[in-house]
Amino acid sequence: MDESARDGDGAAASEYTVTMHPRDVAAWKDVARDIERELCEAGNLHAEREGYRMSSPVRVVLHEDEHLRRGRFEVSIGLADSAARHDSARGISADRVVRTEDRPGESAERPKDADTADESVTPTATSASMATLTTPSVASVATSVTCALVLPDGSRHVLETERVTVGRQSTCSIVIKDTNVSREHAQFRRGRDGWTVRDLGSTNGTKINGVRVEGEQLLANGDVVLVGSIPVRFEIA
C-alpha cells in the first residue's frame, strides 16, 4: 500500500490478493474469512493513519496457486476473483507483486518433497524491499484490530459479535435511552470488507456524516453515525 501510494502521489491501491499453495490455503480454511476481514480493517486503519486517498475501502482475498511453493506467499495489487484474474495474481501483468524468494542457502528449485512438508508451516514472504515481512499468527491477527462505537457520554462499546443492534429497547445490543431513537433503530454488521450499518425502519432515520443511510453502507474509521439525533462515532483501533 505504501509503495502504491508513493507511485500514485498519495493515492493508494485498495484491492489486494494474497496467493498461496492450495494446501496452505486449505490449512487456513477455518479462519480464512476472519483473516481477510481483519486484513481489510488493518488496511483501512493504515490508510487512515497515513492519509492515503483510496477509491474504495480495502479489500483482501486469499487465492491459491499450485505453482507456488508451500510455505510461501505472494501479494499482488488487484483481486483474483475469477480465472481471468489468475495470471494477475501470479504477477504476469502490470500489477505490482511482492514476490517470494528463497531464504539464504535454499535452492530455487521446488523441492521434491514440497507436497509432503509439515502441514503446520507458516507461509512467509521475503524480497529485497520487504525482507522482514512475515505472516502473523492467527491469534495476533485476530486481536490486532478492534472496532468500537463511541457514544456522546464517552462510553466505548467494542463490536465483538457479527451483528450489533442499536436502539431504545432493552433487548438491543447497545441501548440508547432517547425519545428520538426507535426501539430497534439500526444494525451494525461485520461483513467481508468491514463493518456496515443499515437503518431498521426507524422513525427518524440513520445518517453517516450527515448523509441518510440507504440500504447497507460500509463504515470507515472516524465515521459519525447519527442514530436519530444521537451521534455515534465508529472507531478502528
Side-chain angles (χ1 to χ4, degrees), residues 61-193:
V61 296
L62 300 183
H63 186 63
E64 61 182 54
D65 182 354
E66 62 182 6
H67 297 94
L68 195 64
R69 288 181 56 188
R70 291 201 57 209
R72 303 303 179 92
F73 65 83
E74 294 177 353
V75 178
S76 60
I77 291 175
L79 299 181
D81 51 4
S82 69
R85 302 293 296 273
H86 179 75
D87 284 345
S88 174
R90 294 186 59 205
I92 310 178
S93 72
D95 285 350
R96 184 185 314 285
V97 178
V98 177
R99 297 197 63 84
T100 61
E101 296 176 353
D102 292 309
R103 296 192 182 96
E106 289 187 338
S107 169
E109 296 296 325
R110 178 180 172 86
K112 293 181 179 180
D113 61 347
D115 287 337
T116 59
D118 185 356
E119 291 291 343
S120 64
V121 63
T122 300
T124 59
T126 59
S127 73
S129 62
M130 302 187 70
T132 61
L133 178 63
T134 57
T135 297
S137 67
V138 172
S140 66
V141 170
T143 58
S144 62
V145 178
T146 299
C147 295
L149 298 179
V150 182
L151 301 187
D153 62 4
S155 60
R156 190 168 184 271
H157 302 264
V158 177
L159 302 177
E160 298 178 318
T161 58
E162 296 295 312
R163 288 177 173 78
V164 174
T165 304
V166 177
R168 198 174 69 248
Q169 193 167 271
S170 60
T171 55
C172 290
S173 310
I174 300 176
V175 178
I176 300 179
K177 295 294 186 181
D178 187 279
T179 54
N180 291 308
V181 177
S182 296
R183 287 179 296 176
E184 288 190 344
H185 196 106
Q187 184 182 75
F188 293 81
R189 186 176 72 87
R190 192 200 300 266
R192 184 185 184 90
D193 300 324

